[in-house]
Amino acid sequence: MRKASHFRRSNVFRYGIILLMVIFILLFFVLNLIGGVVEISVQDVFNAISGSSDVQPTISAIVLQLRLPQTATALLAGAALAVAGLMMQSLFRNPLADPSILGISSGATLGVALLLLGGFFFRFRVTDLPLFLSDLAVTGAALGGAILILLLILAVSGVLKSNTNLLIVGIMIGYIAFSVVGILKYYSPKEDLQRFVIWGLGSFSQVSPSRLPMFTGLTILGLLASFLMAKPLNLLLLGEYYASNLGLNTNRARWFVILVSGSLTAVITAYCGPVAFIGLAVPHLTRNIFDTSSHGTLLPTSALMGGLLALIVNYVSRMAIFGGTLPISAVTALVGAPVVLWFIFKSSSFKQS
Amino acid sequence: MVRLYSFKRVSLILLSVTLVIGFGCSDSKSKREVKIEAGDRAQWFSLDTIYDHLVVTVKRPWDTITQRFLVCHKDESVPENLNRMKVLRVPVDRLVCTSSTLVSFANQLGAVNSIVGITDIQFTFNKTIRDGQKDGTVVEIGQGSEYNFEQIVKAKPEIAVLSLFQDQQTQRFSDLGIETVPFADYLEATPLARLDWIRFAGVLFDKLEMANHYYDSISSNYTSLREKTKHLADRPTLFDGLPIDGTWWVSGGESYMAAMYRDAGANYVWKDLKGSASIPMPFEKVVADASSASFWRLVVAVPNEYSLSELLKSDERFSNFKATSKGGVIYCNSFMMPLFEEGVVVPDRILSDLIFVFHPELLPDYKPLFYKTLL
């Protein structure tokens, strides 16, 4: 067993796992393009992507305008949420932290609730808005709410020196948002409520091709910025006093970690709705697989693992036997939790022996 | 002597579905042209007679529970042999309700003044109700799924007509001494079956004969339009719905709209889809099934004029549908037009709107009311 444990740490093992993850990502990326309610042959999928004229325009539209953006969105969103979750867990040195811990996704939810359910107070309904506005309006409201809370948290983080207190502030903001949303839901007609509930279950299919470049750009920017945080995160993990003794400006590091993680969460929640579980679970998965706490390894591998998990979840949610319209958050934990549990039991049995 | 609803009087009103006993129906001239089919009558309520007294029964589709009311005129006393039934005293002069379609039925029967409270009043089109709100004679009794019981008590209703069946909320009405009556026209799967609920409204306002007459005249229009399209070989294909967060919600093959499409001489692409409600469908299936359909029907609610370019701007993938490039998008702006409120009393007009789109040669010089081509 000691041998196995030693083997787990070797670089060969790590690169092997990374290679395996990349292969599986490619595999599930292609599966996501092939699988779905409408049966499309592998040949047709490749013809559609290569722009060949041998494929029907309908099939080509399904592959290029529906499945491809949705698959890309899933990959990016999964990666971003996993990274954001990892950063929160390391910053607060709390294994139960996730991207929503600072109330940023609650802010997004509140923004959307005010838009979709605010009719009681504001005397309008989102269905009253011009249609082209409504989808954009939902994204805008989510982004607005999330950024507002993010700015608030950033401001508070300058005042509160204790991470624990900051964590409590984030959780309190979440509770306040939850209450306001509860009041709005209580007074809402059921059609509006249904729209809100659907949004709250998350979806990778809202990003249309024309909105994909913006989404991709923002997400990749956030991911790249997060990779620059590896060193300060490693130091923060030692504890704030230790980190500052080692020459880290902990306040500034903390501020940047919150900014990057919060922005990623804000963007993903705005475009996909609140997607649960990935941000909480994937960091544990990668920590257990790679048996390390170095963020040089954890940040990129969490991104890969998050992307892979989201692709699997997206594939399952679109399977024909489920009617092809299962909401994302209803599937993430169902698919992901057994995997996480298996790894945790496996790795703890390693450590004990 | 106690004057009751005699069987003879009722028989003028009851048609084949509810006519249990065969005498007394010599006077049925109003029915002569109407080609009534089984689906044209309400399924979820019926008018019957027990010992010559009118009884209204409301069923609900998901279980076998029925609610039954003995209809008894206010001037009459409840017959002793039936005094254990729930009694509905008519005409109702003050009622509160949750249904905007009941407003339209009442309006048609000249009884809208009897409505003294309604939920979500800001979405009601009816002018009498809106004016009543300003005068304070009509109050908003709640919003969404939440009732304002103080307003309800203040409105002093004789009954509360609720779209939902008994639940913990209706118990609160009973606790306040207000009888609740279910009104579930929205459960009906065809336009004429929904219209049939005007007879229920007729019972409430003691205007059953007027309601019956109205049903006969509208259903006569409707069925003669339906006869015109019945044997047409050329039936243009059609789909409907709009996506919410990437998932479409389309009309089930057994729905009210599917029946309307069939009667309008169109070939609905999901006519074999099980279900009478809206059904979620993945975007890709909609593209696969409907991209070559000639027509796309949708309902939008926008406070301004709507255009095809606005629709296409909302999601560029809509341009995959042939209907968007051939002027085949038909729409109703339910923010401007009382489609859901008043449409229920004029299904013949909605049908004409659709026929005018699918088969314009059948209705020359017709001017559409609700549905228009999106340009």
Side-chain angles (χ1 to χ4, degrees), chain A residues 275-278 280-281 309 313 327-341:
Chain A
V275 177
F277 188 77
I278 291 177
L280 177 75
L309 184 60
V313 165
I328 290 301
S329 283
V331 185
T332 41
L334 271 181
V335 173
V339 180
V340 173
L341 288 174

Side-chain angles (χ1 to χ4, degrees), chain A residues 35-38 57-58 61-62 65-67 69 119-120 123 125-132 135 138 185-190 194-195 198-199 203 205-211 318 323-325, chain B residues 120-123 133 140 143-146 242-249 280-289 291-292 300-304 306 310-311 313-320 335:
Chain A
V37 167
V38 179
T58 307
I62 290 175
Q65 296 179 30
L66 295 162
R67 291 185 182 175
F120 173 68
R123 300 275 146 173
R125 288 205 259 194
V126 73
T127 43
D128 300 344
L129 296 172
L131 196 71
F132 78 92
D135 249 20
V138 169
K185 280 163 87 172
Y186 191 67
Y187 287 109
S188 293
K190 59 179 183 305
Q194 187 201 19
R195 178 88 167 77
I198 291 173
W199 179 83
S203 159
S205 60
Q206 299 168 51
V207 184
S208 68
S210 62
R211 298 170 74 196
R318 290 176 48 252
T325 58
Chain B
D120 292 310
I121 206 163
Q122 77 267 30
F123 302 122
Q133 185 192 16
E140 184 166 67
Q143 278 171 325
S145 50
E146 187 53 27
L242 273 173
I244 299 178
D245 294 350
T247 296
W248 283 66
W249 292 80
M281 189 173 276
F283 205 134
E284 63 178 51
K285 180 141 173 61
V286 178
V287 171
D289 292 350
S291 58
S292 62
V300 292
V302 294
N304 50 308
Y306 197 58
E310 254 181 287
L311 177 70
K313 225 189 296 171
S314 71
D315 194 324
E316 72 274 17
R317 292 172 291 194
F318 290 161
S319 56
N320 288 308
F335 189 84

Side-chain angles (χ1 to χ4, degrees), chain A residues 56-190:
Chain A
Q56 288 174 32
T58 307
I59 298 296
S60 161
I62 290 175
V63 173
L64 295 179
Q65 296 179 30
L66 295 162
R67 291 185 182 175
L68 194 60
Q70 187 170 353
T71 308
T73 304
L75 179 65
L76 289 166
L81 288 170
V83 164
L86 173 69
M87 292 168 89
M88 285 295 106
Q89 290 180 3
S90 298
L91 176 65
F92 293 114
R93 298 197 292 157
N94 183 334
L96 291 178
D98 72 355
S100 67
I101 199 90
L102 286 178
I104 288 156
S105 53
S106 307
T109 305
L110 182 58
V112 173
L114 283 172
L115 178 73
L116 295 183
L117 309 177
F120 173 68
F121 295 106
F122 308 120
R123 300 275 146 173
F124 76 94
R125 288 205 259 194
V126 73
T127 43
D128 300 344
L129 296 172
L131 196 71
F132 78 92
L133 257 179
S134 67
D135 249 20
L136 281 179
V138 169
T139 307
L143 204 57
I147 286 173
L148 200 72
I149 301 295
L150 178 61
L151 292 175
L152 190 68
I153 290 281
L154 286 173
V156 168
S157 78
V159 182
L160 290 178
K161 300 296 174 209
S162 150
N163 270 348
T164 311
N165 284 345
L166 188 61
L167 192 61
I168 292 172
V169 169
I171 292 172
M172 287 306 122
I173 289 173
Y175 273 113
I176 293 169
F178 181 78
S179 295
V180 177
V181 170
I183 293 169
L184 289 170
K185 280 163 87 172
Y186 191 67
Y187 287 109
S188 293
K190 59 179 183 305

Side-chain angles (χ1 to χ4, degrees), chain A:
Chain A
M1 278 302 157
R2 183 159 275 286
K3 219 172 178 180
S5 173
H6 176 72
F7 177 69
R8 274 159 56 83
R9 286 201 190 92
S10 81
N11 277 338
V12 178
F13 175 84
R14 283 181 190 167
Y15 287 123
I17 293 285
I18 290 173
L19 186 67
L20 211 59
M21 285 202 290
V22 172
I23 290 169
F24 269 100
I25 285 175
L26 290 173
L27 178 70
F28 271 94
F29 200 96
V30 174
L31 279 177
N32 267 289
L33 296 180
I34 295 168
V37 167
V38 179
E39 276 182 44
I40 299 179
S41 70
V42 181
Q43 187 60 43
D44 277 348
V45 169
F46 283 106
N47 281 345
I49 290 172
S50 62
S52 151
S53 55
D54 296 344
V55 62
Q56 288 174 32
T58 307
I59 298 296
S60 161
I62 290 175
V63 173
L64 295 179
Q65 296 179 30
L66 295 162
R67 291 185 182 175
L68 194 60
Q70 187 170 353
T71 308
T73 304
L75 179 65
L76 289 166
L81 288 170
V83 164
L86 173 69
M87 292 168 89
M88 285 295 106
Q89 290 180 3
S90 298
L91 176 65
F92 293 114
R93 298 197 292 157
N94 183 334
L96 291 178
D98 72 355
S100 67
I101 199 90
L102 286 178
I104 288 156
S105 53
S106 307
T109 305
L110 182 58
V112 173
L114 283 172
L115 178 73
L116 295 183
L117 309 177
F120 173 68
F121 295 106
F122 308 120
R123 300 275 146 173
F124 76 94
R125 288 205 259 194
V126 73
T127 43
D128 300 344
L129 296 172
L131 196 71
F132 78 92
L133 257 179
S134 67
D135 249 20
L136 281 179
V138 169
T139 307
L143 204 57
I147 286 173
L148 200 72
I149 301 295
L150 178 61
L151 292 175
L152 190 68
I153 290 281
L154 286 173
V156 168
S157 78
V159 182
L160 290 178
K161 300 296 174 209
S162 150
N163 270 348
T164 311
N165 284 345
L166 188 61
L167 192 61
I168 292 172
V169 169
I171 292 172
M172 287 306 122
I173 289 173
Y175 273 113
I176 293 169
F178 181 78
S179 295
V180 177
V181 170
I183 293 169
L184 289 170
K185 280 163 87 172
Y186 191 67
Y187 287 109
S188 293
K190 59 179 183 305
E191 306 84 45
D192 291 356
L193 207 53
Q194 187 201 19
R195 178 88 167 77
F196 178 70
V197 168
I198 291 173
W199 179 83
L201 289 169
S203 159
F204 294 138
S205 60
Q206 299 168 51
V207 184
S208 68
S210 62
R211 298 170 74 196
L212 190 62
M214 180 73 152
F215 174 76
T216 309
L218 290 172
T219 312
I220 287 180
L221 195 69
L223 284 172
L224 289 178
S226 76
F227 296 156
L228 299 175
M229 299 277 116
K231 213 169 199 174
L233 279 168
N234 282 344
L235 293 176
L236 281 170
L237 210 54
L238 299 170
E240 277 181 81
Y241 294 114
Y242 211 158
S244 58
N245 279 344
L246 286 168
L248 182 72
N249 183 340
T250 51
N251 273 343
R252 210 178 62 181
R254 187 167 72 162
W255 197 86
F256 271 110
V257 168
I258 293 172
L259 176 70
V260 173
S261 158
S263 305
L264 280 173
T265 310
V267 168
I268 304 305
T269 315
Y271 281 88
C272 308
V275 177
F277 188 77
I278 291 177
L280 177 75
V282 168
H284 293 290
L285 212 52
T286 44
R287 265 194 296 265
N288 274 291
I289 293 173
F290 291 95
D291 203 14
T292 179
S293 51
S294 161
H295 287 80
T297 306
L298 286 181
L299 283 166
T301 53
S302 291
L304 287 175
M305 186 59 87
L308 175 58
L309 184 60
L311 284 179
I312 296 172
V313 165
N314 192 50
Y315 180 67
V316 172
S317 78
R318 290 176 48 252
M319 282 188 347
I321 47 165
F322 303 128
T325 58
L326 275 186
I328 290 301
S329 283
V331 185
T332 41
L334 271 181
V335 173
V339 180
V340 173
L341 288 174
W342 183 71
F343 267 100
I344 284 177
F345 279 113
K346 197 166 169 271
S347 68
S348 62
S349 70
F350 269 131
K351 277 166 191 160
Q352 270 166 15
S353 51

